[in-house]
Amino acid sequence: MEKLLSRAIAERRATPSFDGSPIPDSDLQKILLAGLQAPSGYNLQPWRFIVVRSPEQKKRLRAASYNQAKVEEASAMIVACGDADGWRKGDMEEMLRLGREGGMPENYAEQAKGAIPRYFEHHPNIAVWLNRQVMLALTHMLLMAEVLGYDTAPMEGFEAEKVSEVLKLPLSYSVVAFLAIGHLKGPDNFNGGRFSMARTVFAEEYGHPIKFS
C-alpha cells in the first residue's frame, strides 16, 4: 500500500542506518521516474543520476563520503549531479523536439533557440542554477520513495572530487547531493520539530504574519 503524500511528508526522517535489503527494480524505476518528472528552468532537465547498488562501488563511494556507514548500508545510493554543458550537447534540441510533440508553438521554439544560449552566457552563477534544478528532482525521488514505504536520507557530506573519480564523471558534471534509499535498521531519528509559520512565513512582505480564515 502506498502512503498518502501528506503522511509521507509528515513522517519522513533522515534515516540514520539502513538494513541493506534490496529494492525491487519496479520500485526503483518508479522512484527515478518521479525525479525525471520534476520541473526545471526552460525544461532543460540538466540533472544526471548515478545509481550505485553494488557492494564494491558503495564501498568506494563511502570512502569518498567521510566514511559514512549508511552509504554502504543503503539498498541504493542515488548520486545527483548537474551537467553544466548539457544544453550545448543536445539537451536543448531534445527539449525542443519533445516540446513540439507536446504542442509547443513554433514561434516559442524559435525564441528559445536564441534565449537559452543568451541566458547561460550571461548567468552569474551556473552552479547555483544547477543545484536548484537538481534538488527539485531529488526531492521528487525522495518523496516517491517515502510514498512507496522506503526510508531515505538526503546527504551532502562527501568530497566532490573523490566522488567524481569513483564514478568517472565527465568534467562538466558537478555532484550536488546523495539520496540513500532502503529500510530503516534500528531506531529512527528523533523528531527534530519544524519552525512555525509565525517564524518563517509572511504575507505580501516581510514582517507581516500570514493569516487564514
Side-chain angles (χ1 to χ4, degrees):
M1 287 286 292
E2 294 187 7
K3 292 182 185 177
L4 289 173
L5 179 59
S6 57
R7 180 185 164 199
I9 291 172
E11 294 180 352
R12 183 210 60 80
R13 299 286 179 272
T15 300
S17 185
F18 296 91
D19 68 7
S21 57
I23 297 176
D25 283 352
S26 57
D27 285 351
L28 185 57
Q29 284 181 313
K30 286 181 182 178
I31 292 165
L32 292 166
L33 286 171
L36 302 188
Q37 295 297 320
S40 62
Y42 285 110
N43 197 30
L44 283 171
Q45 306 163 59
W47 43 67
R48 302 292 186 266
F49 304 110
I50 314 298
V51 181
V52 178
R53 289 186 285 179
S54 76
E56 299 80 16
Q57 192 71 328
K58 284 193 289 185
K59 185 174 183 178
R60 296 184 192 101
L61 195 61
R62 175 177 177 173
S65 309
Y66 304 111
N67 199 36
Q68 294 182 80
K70 68 176 70 174
V71 174
E72 274 195 275
E73 296 170 351
S75 305
M77 290 294 301
I78 298 177
V79 181
C81 307
D83 184 2
D85 289 340
W87 68 276
R88 290 192 183 97
K89 300 183 297 187
D91 284 3
M92 183 173 70
E93 288 74 16
E94 180 66 1
M95 178 274 289
L96 292 172
R97 184 188 70 80
L98 292 170
R100 288 185 175 108
E101 286 183 0
M104 177 188 289
E106 191 57 38
N107 64 338
Y108 180 94
E110 288 303 316
Q111 289 173 6
K113 286 181 182 178
I116 291 171
R118 287 195 299 273
Y119 178 79
F120 286 108
E121 286 165 7
H122 299 290
H123 198 289
N125 195 326
I126 294 300
V128 170
W129 183 85
L130 280 174
N131 282 7
R132 291 170 180 159
Q133 318 310 312
V134 174
M135 288 307 296
L136 282 168
L138 183 138
T139 301
H140 272 53
M141 291 190 290
L142 180 153
L143 291 175
M144 178 57 79
E146 294 281 341
V147 163
L148 292 174
Y150 294 98
D151 300 296
T152 60
M155 301 174 63
E156 58 179 351
F158 52 81
E159 296 176 84
E161 289 187 6
K162 291 183 178 180
V163 173
S164 295
E165 291 176 7
V166 169
L167 302 181
K168 298 180 171 59
L169 299 180
L171 291 177
S172 62
Y173 282 32
S174 58
V175 183
V176 175
F178 292 177
L179 179 60
I181 303 172
H183 288 291
L184 174 70
K185 179 180 70 176
D188 203 353
N189 268 339
F190 61 90
N191 185 345
R194 287 295 181 268
F195 295 155
S196 69
M197 283 192 184
R199 188 181 187 90
T200 58
V201 182
F202 307 97
E204 313 307 334
E205 62 182 39
Y206 174 75
H208 288 214
I210 193 166
K211 297 179 181 178
F212 301 99
S213 55

